[in-house]
Amino acid sequence: MTERPVVRAAHTFELTAPEREAVRALLDTAFDGDFGDEDWDHALGGVHALVRDTDGLLIAHGSVVQRRVVHADRSYRAGYVEAVAVRADRRREGLGHRVMAALERVIDRAYDFGALSASDAGAALYTARGWQVWPGPLGALGPAGPVPLPEERGSTYLRPAAGRPLPAPGQPLAFDWRDGDLL
């Protein structure tokens, strides 16, 4: 029987420099060079789920960071999922599900709800885990005021934290501002 790789959860401050370098290398490769410095910055400052094979090679990663989201005159703490990736030669082994299970545990215990922006390739993983496409309007709170993000409709997913309802879709979700991709 093959030993299952272990999932380790660690905050960014707990990762050693070589571990951070290994995560960045995995992400650069998994996203075919389309993972920039701003994307990397978005993945830092929260909890990482790291999966290594029996030889210690990093084979999967994801992180969850806090984002402030304003909806219907209330500010929420959202656990925003970033940088989910599995080595190409280890895909379809359930590693993405294991990474997401670890991140969802963090969301359930620390946030009002989970949020993420999914690529077409990643959407099936999130849908299979019960994440739901946000049907309402989206935006960001920019330095000069609200910025609508109609192009993000259909790719932004939410998941309720344990025992908490999702915001109602009648009013927009307005995410905090950041450099690079806003969602």
Side-chain angles (χ1 to χ4, degrees), residues 63-165:
S63 65
V64 61
V65 299
Q66 181 172 300
R67 302 277 311 266
R68 278 291 178 183
V69 180
V70 174
H71 176 269
D73 298 324
R74 179 174 173 211
S75 177
Y76 290 89
R77 262 185 354 271
Y80 201 85
V81 174
E82 296 281 2
V84 175
V86 176
R87 278 178 52 110
D89 62 340
R90 298 300 301 263
R91 292 181 183 150
R92 306 291 177 246
E93 295 179 23
L95 298 172
H97 282 281
R98 297 189 62 216
V99 164
M100 288 304 297
L103 299 179
E104 289 162 359
R105 279 192 301 276
V106 174
I107 290 166
D108 285 346
R109 294 182 178 134
Y111 297 104
D112 296 314
F113 59 88
L116 59 82
S117 181
S119 66
D120 291 341
L125 168 65
Y126 308 121
T127 301
R129 298 195 58 79
W131 289 73
Q132 305 164 31
V133 173
W134 172 253
L138 294 158
L141 300 174
V147 176
L149 298 172
E151 69 280 2
E152 298 294 341
R153 278 189 104 142
S155 65
T156 299
Y157 288 71
L158 301 185
R159 177 188 174 277
R164 297 184 187 108

Side-chain angles (χ1 to χ4, degrees), residues 4 40 59 73 92 94 151 177:
R4 274 179 65 158
W40 175 238
I59 56 176
D73 298 324
R92 306 291 177 246
E151 69 280 2
W177 188 260

